[in-house]
Each structure stands twice: as C-alpha cells, then as structure tokens.
Amino acid sequence: MQKKKKIIAVGISKLLYFTLKELPTVDFECLLDNSYADDSYEGIPVRKYDVLKQEKLENVVFYIFAVSNHSINIIQDRLSGYGVLADQIFLYSDLFKESFENKIHKLFGSDIAQSRYKFAKTATLNSKLTVQTTICGSWLFLESLNNTKDVAGDIAEVGCFEGGNAFLALRSGIVPENKKFFLFDSFEGFPALSEFDPIKHKQGDLKTVLDLDEIKGTFKKFPNVKIIPGFVPGTFSQIDDDSKFSLVFFDCDLYQPACDTLDFFWSKLSKGGLFLLHDYFYEPGGFSGVKKAVDEFSKLKNIESFPIWETTMVVLRK
Ligand SMILES: C[S@@+](CC[C@H](N)C(=O)[O-])C[C@H]1O[C@@H](n2cnc3c(N)ncnc32)[C@H](O)[C@@H]1O
C-alpha cells in the first residue's frame, strides 16, 4: 500500500490562517517559515528550512501559502535548493480550488472556465509585476469581467498598486475594448489610517516602488486604461457625473477608503453589476476596516453579500 504523504505548509500568511480555520481536516505535519519568531502557529510546529536536511523528502509534499507572486517564486527556488522536486510542490489554490469553485458556481452559474483558472495561475506566477490579489482572487476578477461583459458601464480598480492585477486581466483578453478601465491609486501608499485599521500599519505604507511613468508605460498598449493618480475620494471628481460602471474592484485595504468607494460607486453600478472588495476576511492584526465598512453599508442599503474566504473578498451584486 502506498504510504500517505506528509504535508508541509510553507510561508505563514492570511491564506494559511483561513485554510486552517475553514479546512480543519487538512493535516499539516509542520510549517516552514524562516522569518517567523515563534515555534508554533495556530498549534502547528513551525520549523526553519534547514529541517529539510534531515527529512526523507520522498514522503513529503509542500503547499506554498505566500500571497505575492514574487514570494511564491522565491519559496519554490528555495525548496528546489533542498532537493524538493517540482511534482512535490503545490500552491494554496490547489488545496481550496474546489470549495472556491463551488461558491463561484453558485454566484455565476455554469459559465465559469478552467482556462481562466489556468491563466490566473500561470499569469500570476510569471508576472514581472507584483500581483497581490491571490490566484483565486484574480480568477474571481476574470470571472466577474466575463459575467458583466454585457452589463452597461465601465470598470474601476480602486487601489491598483503597480497594476499587477489589472495588467493580468487586460492580458487575458477578457476586458471589452469598449469599456474604460479606471485605475485609481495614490501611488504614495496609504493615507492616514482610521481607528478601525490595524495599528501595525501607517501612512505611506505600500508606496509603489515603480514610479508613475513606469506604471503608465505598462499600460501604454491599452488605450481604454485611464490611470488616475491621487488619493480617493478626492480623485473621484474626475469621473463624469452620468457615468455607469459594470464592475468595481476595491483593494485599498482600509476603512475610510472602503466607505468612500462604496458611497461613490454603488449608485453608479448598473443593474447586474458587481462590486468586489478585497480584505473582507482578515487574520488577527490584519486589515479589519474593510469588513466593517462593507457590513455597515450593506446593512444600511439592504444588500446581499457573497463572502468568498478563498480570495479574502466579498462580492456585492446590484
Ligand atoms: C494592496 S495594494 C493594491 C494591490 C493591487 N490591487 C493588486 O492586486 O496588485 C493597496 C493600494 O491601495 C492604495 N491606497 C490605499 N488607500 C488609498 C487612497 N485613499 N487613495 C488612493 N490609493 C489608496 C495604496 O497606495 C496601495 O497601492
């Protein structure tokens, strides 16, 4: 009989936190993370990579939980350096793809595509730009674009950072050319935080490394992309009063921008349009402000919400 393989999780992140909560039957032998100070996380032992020198590696598989594409690639290289083979390495999305699929199937019906998952995965891993949306998060964005292609109105990503998620979506060919795609960001990082945001963060965090001209250069082949630099909600004044939107993706991480973005865009969303908000799910000490803003707004307006922990997002449909 084939021996059951041990599962080692690599990289302590919010995705690991939610997996431990939502899929408690997955039995991790230990977690690998060289930068984590304690020797256990959520009751699971934490080890340094050097423990792999003593492991019989043929009996082990690894699941990587790092969020950004660059971190995933660094971890893959590091595991290879210890002799781990490619067919022993999996990603978080392999573990919870099925539960995610069930949810978006309920939301969008049968019109979801494995090809879009494959694209989200390979484009995330191979992107030169940082993508922080997560693999299932970008897949959800692609499915949402597909689901709203016949809904009147434009597209907005509020909090685009260096444009990693938007560029991935544009490369997929799924963004209709007749829709404008607005990208909002201060490119200066966070504004002042509110009392509902995590104290470990401060004004100026997440300032882009690329400068604005480099970010504009990324999108020069896409004439429908409109980059709007500056802090929201001030920059919303650059949107025409009578404009409509089919899809809005909020990813500014913080309470007040979430309130302002919901206030501004909800009335501009066409019937059948979708509002996606990242960081609705947060780990202890994480970005707690978005859930508060969404819950307050959806209660006030009596809006049904579709939370999807596998992406950390919530979806609101008009
Ligand atoms: C997590 S990043 C966005 C990641 C991006 N959506 C992606 O998937 O690659 C958060 C961004 O929100 C921006 N941001 C936060 N508050 C803002 C505000 N009030 N106005 C404009 N940008 C803001 C930050 O500058 C940062 O670039």
Side-chain angles (χ1 to χ4, degrees):
M1 203 174 73
Q2 224 189 359
K3 214 172 150 198
K4 199 167 166 251
K5 303 235 178 193
K6 289 192 232 171
I7 305 176
I8 295 182
V10 195
I12 292 175
S13 72
K14 58 185 176 183
L15 293 173
L16 175 65
Y17 178 80
F18 302 130
T19 302
L20 296 175
K21 298 285 163 221
E22 304 287 340
L23 301 176
T25 52
V26 182
D27 188 13
F28 293 109
E29 177 78 9
C30 68
L31 313 176
L32 288 188
D33 194 321
N34 277 7
S35 57
Y36 192 71
D38 291 338
D39 56 9
S40 93
Y41 177 78
E42 296 290 314
I44 303 174
V46 179
R47 307 271 185 258
K48 307 285 182 229
Y49 282 74
D50 270 355
V51 76
L52 299 181
K53 289 180 180 165
Q54 294 133 39
E55 276 282 341
K56 283 208 175 84
L57 292 178
E58 61 273 20
N59 297 330
V60 186
V61 291
F62 297 82
Y63 278 84
I64 300 177
F65 283 89
V67 174
S68 93
N69 52 334
H70 297 318
S71 306
I72 294 173
N73 286 322
I74 290 168
I75 290 173
Q76 281 181 327
D77 284 350
R78 195 177 271 178
L79 290 174
S80 303
Y82 282 91
V84 178
L85 302 176
D87 66 359
Q88 294 174 276
I89 302 177
F90 299 88
L91 298 179
Y92 56 82
S93 54
D94 298 311
L95 200 57
F96 51 64
K97 177 173 174 277
E98 204 180 309
S99 71
F100 169 72
E101 250 177 318
N102 290 338
K103 278 181 201 147
I104 50 171
H105 189 78
K106 267 194 204 139
L107 193 59
F108 296 138
S110 56
D111 195 21
I112 57 171
Q114 294 303 318
S115 57
R116 288 195 273 271
Y117 171 61
K118 276 197 197 137
F119 180 81
K121 190 167 163 174
T122 49
T124 296
L125 292 182
N126 295 321
S127 177
K128 283 206 181 94
L129 297 171
T130 305
V131 190
Q132 301 173 1
T133 321
T134 79
I135 291 166
C136 288
S138 288
W139 187 17
L140 175 63
F141 190 65
L142 297 179
E143 293 298 338
S144 302
L145 283 163
N146 182 56
N147 190 262
T148 55
K149 61 181 184 294
D150 298 324
V151 174
D154 293 323
I155 299 158
E157 179 167 335
V158 182
C160 67
F161 191 59
E162 294 172 349
N165 176 66
F167 188 59
L168 181 153
L170 286 153
R171 279 182 55 214
S172 78
I174 208 169
V175 178
E177 281 173 16
N178 62 343
K179 286 178 184 278
K180 288 183 201 141
F181 192 159
F182 292 95
L183 297 181
F184 291 90
D185 206 290
S186 66
F187 304 110
E188 300 286 330
F190 289 159
L193 274 63
S194 80
E195 60 182 301
F196 307 117
D197 299 312
I199 47 170
K200 69 178 178 197
H201 284 284
K202 58 179 188 323
Q203 187 166 1
D205 281 0
L206 279 183
K207 181 175 168 22
T208 53
V209 179
L210 299 180
D211 68 30
L212 186 53
D213 283 339
E214 289 172 298
I215 295 167
K216 283 182 176 163
T218 301
F219 294 101
K220 66 175 183 293
K221 292 220 168 78
F222 300 100
N224 54 335
V225 170
K226 311 287 170 205
I227 298 179
I228 307 205
F231 285 95
V232 305
T235 46
F236 291 156
S237 61
Q238 295 181 45
I239 298 294
D240 293 341
D241 285 347
D242 57 354
S243 54
K244 285 279 166 207
F245 284 80
S246 57
L247 177 62
V248 178
F249 173 36
F250 171 83
D251 193 11
C252 285
D253 307 351
L254 305 176
Y255 175 73
Q256 194 56 50
C259 297
D260 296 334
T261 303
L262 283 162
D263 269 343
F264 182 78
F265 279 105
W266 185 254
S267 61
K268 296 195 170 302
L269 203 63
S270 301
K271 190 167 166 32
L274 296 170
F275 214 124
L276 271 47
L277 296 104
H278 207 249
D279 300 296
Y280 183 76
F281 289 84
Y282 60 96
E283 72 285 26
F287 292 109
S288 46
V290 180
K291 182 170 194 309
K292 181 175 165 58
V294 173
D295 289 351
E296 287 169 354
F297 189 81
S298 41
K299 191 170 171 204
L300 189 73
K301 303 269 178 186
N302 199 17
I303 303 164
E304 190 185 0
S305 60
F306 302 87
I308 305 180
W309 68 264
E310 297 87 342
T311 63
T312 80
M313 291 198 222
V314 66
V315 180
L316 310 178
R317 184 158 47 195
K318 191 117 180 224

